[in-house]
């Protein structure tokens, strides 16, 4: 760990050096090397330091900057480097004493101030390098969203996506070069006429409106959200299964026999820090899981194509495991031996053979057995009657 930081990450607004603190001015004055994007470098006056333009893609510049370790270096970033900015990327490569950050107001703060939106009640996200589908779980009437975008063309792309999702009437606040002399704010609807001269840097404020499908907050979302070939844990059983799995922030799920991916996707909806791995032997279903996850805003779902238990080798240890199909004595033995103490295991059985297997394991390992019997009303002649589904036996246990 260095006694004094060799790297200073200076947040820069569109007003250039005018908005910088005395500490930032001093860092620029003392720097041997100033590294930043072409746009950032152009905002500064002539410097005594050597200037290095940050390459595209961003990742290519990390090793270049690290090669200057030990010299006085300033890295230029937009606004607050730790609010959807580059600072968090660099901090992963450095010890705490090697760097310091000197932020200015973030794009989100400037946008909220310009629109009069209470920032604590607004979803803030970065879409400059992420799929628009990440917004899917957050689309509901009257929601407010602030997001960074890649460039002016991305505004039209985002508008088209909102229209496809059924939220064309949403108001878009197009925010250009906030905080600088080129600042401009214009409004349009996603399904209306958009400006053709949108300048970078650009962010967007969305006031959601329209009749698109809204994803409910409770577990057991509608089956129609998940494209499937019939291999899906149906909504009521899924709700009971997620309740037994009990996702908590930061936890990792193994979903063995992923089917449509509905269990893993709902696990990931529970909290932005949750993680999940779906294991599916059928390649077509594995592809469908990936497509469902991407379309529903959780492309962080890791999908492994292969047969359990072999496909479990090398996976990060789970905090919870769901076995939804293909239960066997061998699978239970290997899964049980693979998981750490305290891991929660939930298994659903439909066949008599699988039910007996779970009953035997529950007798030996403990936990709870739940028999799920459901019936739905169906036409019966001119009247109605009950049609029962196959009963399901669910074993839930903590190792």
């Amino acid at each position: 760990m260095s006694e004094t930081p060799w790297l200073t990450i200076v947040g820069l607004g569109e007003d250039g050096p005018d908005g910088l603190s005395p500490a930032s001015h001093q860092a620029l004055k003392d720097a041997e090397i100033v590294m930043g994007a072409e746009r950032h470098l152009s905002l500064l006056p002539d410097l005594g330091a050597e200037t290095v333009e940050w390459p595209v893609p961003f990742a290519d510049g990390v090793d270049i900057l690290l090669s200057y370790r030990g010299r006085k270096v300033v890295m230029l970033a937009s606004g607050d480097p730790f609010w959807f900015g580059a600072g968090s990327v660099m901090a992963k490569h450095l010890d705490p004493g090697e760097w310091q950050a000197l932020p200015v107001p973030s794009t989100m703060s400037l946008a909220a101030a310009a629109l009069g939106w209470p920032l604590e009640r607004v979803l803030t996200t970065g879409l400059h390098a992420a799929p628009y589908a990440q917004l899917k779980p957050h689309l509901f009437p009257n929601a407010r969203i602030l997001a960074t975008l890649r460039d002016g063309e991305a505004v039209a792309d985002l508008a088209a996506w909102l229209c496809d999702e059924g939220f064309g009437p949403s108001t878009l606040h197009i925010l250009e070069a906030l905080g600088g002399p080129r600042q401009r704010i214009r409004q349009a609807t996603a399904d209306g006429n958009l400006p053709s001269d949108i300048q970078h840097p650009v962010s967007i404020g969305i006031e959601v409106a329209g009749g698109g499908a809204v994803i409910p907050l409770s577990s057991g979302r509608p089956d129609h959200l998940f494209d499937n070939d019939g291999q899906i844990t149906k909504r009521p059983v899924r709700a009971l299964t997620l309740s037994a799995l009990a996702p908590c922030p930061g936890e990792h799920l193994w979903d063995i026999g992923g089917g449509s991916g509905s269990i893993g996707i709902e696990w990931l909806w529970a909290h932005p820090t949750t993680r999940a791995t779906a294991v599916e032997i059928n390649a077509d279903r594995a592809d469908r899981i990936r497509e469902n996850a991407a379309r529903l805003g959780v492309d962080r779902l890791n999908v492994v194509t292969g047969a359990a238990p072999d496909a479990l080798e090398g996976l990060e240890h789970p905090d919870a495991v769901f076995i939804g199909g293909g239960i066997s004595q061998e699978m239970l033995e290997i899964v049980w031996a693979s998981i750490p103490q305290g891991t929660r295991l939930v298994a659903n059985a439909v066949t008599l053979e699988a039910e007996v297997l779970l009953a035997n394991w529950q007798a030996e390992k403990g936990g709870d057995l739940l028999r799920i019997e459901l019936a739905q009303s169906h036409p019966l002649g001119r009247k109605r009657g009950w049609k029962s589904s196959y009963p399901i036996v669910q074993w839930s246990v903590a190792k």
Side-chain angles (χ1 to χ4, degrees):
M1 181 181 295
S2 304
E3 293 184 2
T4 57
W6 63 268
L7 175 64
T8 300
I9 306 173
V10 172
L12 195 63
E14 289 302 304
D15 54 353
D18 292 343
L20 295 181
S21 67
S24 294
H25 280 289
Q26 189 63 48
L28 287 167
K29 181 180 178 181
D30 295 342
E32 300 175 50
I33 297 170
V34 176
M35 186 171 176
E38 178 184 9
R39 180 175 63 84
H40 289 146
L41 293 172
S42 69
L43 292 172
L44 297 177
D46 291 337
L47 301 170
E50 175 188 352
T51 58
V52 179
E53 185 177 325
W54 200 286
V56 177
F58 178 85
D60 291 350
V62 174
D63 288 338
I64 296 174
L65 186 142
L66 293 176
S67 71
Y68 302 130
R69 182 182 261 116
R71 303 176 67 180
K72 284 290 186 181
V73 181
V74 166
M75 171 186 171
L76 301 176
S78 295
D80 184 344
F82 289 89
W83 190 261
F84 300 101
S88 57
V89 176
M90 289 309 309
K92 296 176 183 177
H93 299 273
L94 300 165
D95 292 329
E98 290 190 279
W99 61 273
Q100 62 178 338
L102 303 172
V104 295
S106 69
T107 297
M108 304 303 181
S109 294
L110 293 171
L115 299 176
W117 291 1
L119 196 53
E120 73 276 7
R121 300 180 188 175
V122 176
L123 172 70
T124 57
T125 188
L127 296 177
H128 48 283
Y132 305 133
Q134 287 194 0
L135 298 180
K136 180 66 176 176
H138 308 286
L139 293 180
F140 56 89
N142 302 316
R144 286 175 168 177
I145 300 170
L146 289 174
T148 58
L149 293 176
R150 181 188 67 252
D151 53 30
E153 293 181 1
V155 176
D157 295 339
L158 174 60
W161 180 83
L162 287 168
C163 291
D164 289 343
E165 294 295 326
F167 294 96
S170 298
T171 298
L172 305 182
H173 300 270
I174 304 164
L175 311 163
E176 302 166 74
L178 288 176
R182 297 188 299 118
Q183 175 173 307
R184 182 167 57 177
I185 301 175
R186 292 177 285 180
Q187 288 78 34
T189 58
D191 57 4
N193 294 321
L194 299 173
S196 59
D197 59 343
I198 302 171
Q199 300 298 310
H200 181 73
V202 61
S203 55
I204 199 85
I206 308 171
E207 294 185 88
V208 180
V214 174
I215 297 176
L217 295 177
S218 60
S219 296
R221 274 75 166 193
D223 293 341
H224 67 76
L225 290 174
F226 309 96
D227 185 26
N228 67 89
D229 61 359
Q231 288 295 110
I232 181 173
T233 304
K234 296 296 180 65
R235 181 184 60 80
V237 177
R238 193 180 335 117
L240 291 169
T241 301
L242 266 295
S243 177
L245 287 169
C248 294
E251 289 190 330
H252 181 212
L253 170 74
W254 284 358
D255 178 9
I256 301 174
S260 68
S262 61
I263 292 290
I265 289 170
E266 289 217 36
W267 172 278
L268 294 174
W269 278 339
H271 196 269
T273 64
T274 50
R275 292 160 293 130
T277 298
V279 177
E280 172 55 55
I281 188 172
N282 184 289
D284 290 338
R285 287 178 184 155
D287 288 341
R288 187 178 291 113
I289 293 171
R290 294 184 185 96
E291 292 168 2
N292 280 336
R295 178 174 51 82
L296 294 170
V298 285
D299 60 347
R300 68 185 190 277
L301 176 62
N302 178 38
V303 182
V304 176
T305 304
D310 293 343
L312 305 178
E313 292 185 12
L315 294 183
E316 176 189 356
H317 280 153
D319 301 283
V321 177
F322 173 58
I323 305 176
I327 302 173
S328 67
Q329 178 71 20
E330 179 190 17
M331 178 183 291
L332 285 172
E333 288 175 351
I334 293 178
V335 169
W336 191 262
S338 301
I339 60 178
Q341 291 292 115
T343 302
R344 304 182 297 281
L345 172 64
V346 177
N348 289 353
V350 178
T351 66
L352 288 173
E353 290 80 5
E355 181 177 334
V356 171
L357 182 63
L358 294 188
N360 291 337
W361 274 75
Q362 190 267 342
E364 180 181 348
K365 304 296 185 183
D368 297 316
L369 279 179
L370 177 68
R371 184 177 173 89
I372 305 169
E373 298 187 69
L374 299 169
Q376 289 185 305
S377 64
H378 278 259
L380 188 62
R382 291 179 295 173
K383 298 184 180 181
R384 293 174 298 161
W386 293 107
K387 183 177 181 180
S388 297
S389 303
Y390 286 115
I392 292 173
V393 171
Q394 181 180 94
W395 178 43
S396 58
V397 65
K399 180 174 177 181

